[in-house]
Amino acid sequence: IRSERSLEMKASKEFLSFSLVDQPSRIYPVFINLLNNSIYWLVNAKVSQPEIRLEIRSGNVVVADNGPGVDPVDIPQLFQMFFSRKVSGGRGIGLYLCRMNLLAGGHSIRYETSKDFKVLPGANFVIQFREATIG
């Protein structure tokens, strides 16, 4: 199905070569939630050329978009249960569950604002995987 606006999703060569050993049921929901969140905000902000990128920076996975990003005042509670700024469809458990799933495997996630990890001008989430292989 093609929509009026096309969304471009790019994965870097480094991201495509990244691998880790963990339970897929723990890792896949993290990526699904981050991508769904990006799509929600890109569509609702009516970004003219919406883009999502999956990249590796300093050995970490970055999931980034060119949407509105997170208001700096909201960053401290971003991963707390029941926190959401979505007008519809948000229950505020997605990012909380992302963090808990990753913690269970010894991994971590954070919202990043520093230029070293910022891939696109919107939301940039950095995942640090324990014992991941790149390349």
Side-chain angles (χ1 to χ4, degrees):
I1 298 174
R2 188 161 173 79
S3 64
E4 297 172 9
R5 285 188 311 247
S6 61
L7 182 139
E8 184 173 30
M9 185 166 18
K10 294 180 184 177
S12 70
K13 186 171 73 171
E14 294 81 13
F15 177 82
L16 293 173
S17 70
F18 138 85
S19 65
L20 71 128
V21 177
D22 204 325
Q23 297 173 22
S25 62
R26 183 182 292 158
I27 302 303
Y28 290 162
V30 171
F31 284 96
I32 291 167
N33 184 73
L34 292 174
L35 294 173
N36 281 340
N37 284 351
S38 286
I39 292 166
Y40 174 90
W41 290 108
L42 289 166
V43 168
N44 284 293
K46 296 181 169 83
V47 174
S48 63
Q49 295 179 332
E51 183 178 356
I52 298 172
R53 285 199 204 158
L54 303 165
E55 293 195 9
I56 304 291
R57 292 277 170 99
S58 301
N60 298 294
V61 171
V62 180
V63 179
D65 66 50
N66 65 339
V70 175
D71 188 319
V73 80
D74 291 336
I75 294 172
Q77 63 241 18
L78 199 55
F79 295 96
Q80 291 179 4
M81 190 181 296
F82 305 125
F83 176 78
S84 179
R85 291 285 184 219
K86 288 183 177 178
V87 176
S88 64
R91 292 180 289 245
I93 58 171
L95 289 175
Y96 170 80
L97 290 176
C98 284
R99 178 167 272 174
M100 293 301 108
N101 277 358
L102 290 168
L103 281 173
H107 318 296
S108 65
I109 185 171
R110 68 183 185 274
Y111 183 80
E112 190 59 64
T113 58
S114 77
K115 63 181 176 183
D116 293 338
F117 288 96
K118 203 160 177 144
V119 173
L120 288 172
N124 289 262
F125 288 89
V126 176
I127 305 170
Q128 185 173 17
F129 287 106
R130 178 182 56 83
E131 300 180 25
T133 304
I134 300 165

